[in-house]
Amino acid sequence: MEFQFSKKWYTPAEVAEMLGFGLSKTKLLIAMREIRSVKVGAHRRILPEWVDEYIEQVTRQDSA
């Protein structure tokens, strides 16, 4: 029997790749709290819905 797990959260590098941004820009957006994140130990993690929130926020600002 094979189990398939879906990702529960992403690293900043994964989010950068998903959004087509550089890692530095993504880390800046996290530091500015444009993209929400949580610190787990020494690492930042981003929930998939937080990536969606950021995209919605940016597209809403652009269409306003």
Side-chain angles (χ1 to χ4, degrees):
M1 185 175 229
E2 186 177 318
F3 291 100
Q4 290 186 354
F5 294 98
S6 61
K7 288 195 119 195
K8 299 297 181 188
W9 51 30
Y10 300 114
T11 66
E14 290 171 322
V15 172
E17 186 175 330
M18 289 168 41
L19 295 175
F21 295 160
L23 183 57
S24 296
K25 178 174 179 159
T26 303
K27 287 183 176 182
L28 179 64
L29 290 170
I30 291 167
M32 295 173 52
R33 299 184 180 190
E34 296 282 326
I35 298 175
R36 294 186 345 174
S37 69
V38 64
K39 197 162 187 179
V40 179
H43 305 283
R44 287 271 164 204
R45 297 293 181 253
I46 299 106
L47 293 174
E49 53 265 26
W50 294 345
V51 177
D52 294 339
E53 280 178 10
Y54 172 74
I55 293 168
E56 288 175 21
Q57 172 189 339
V58 170
T59 56
R60 192 171 39 242
Q61 288 174 354
D62 189 50
S63 65

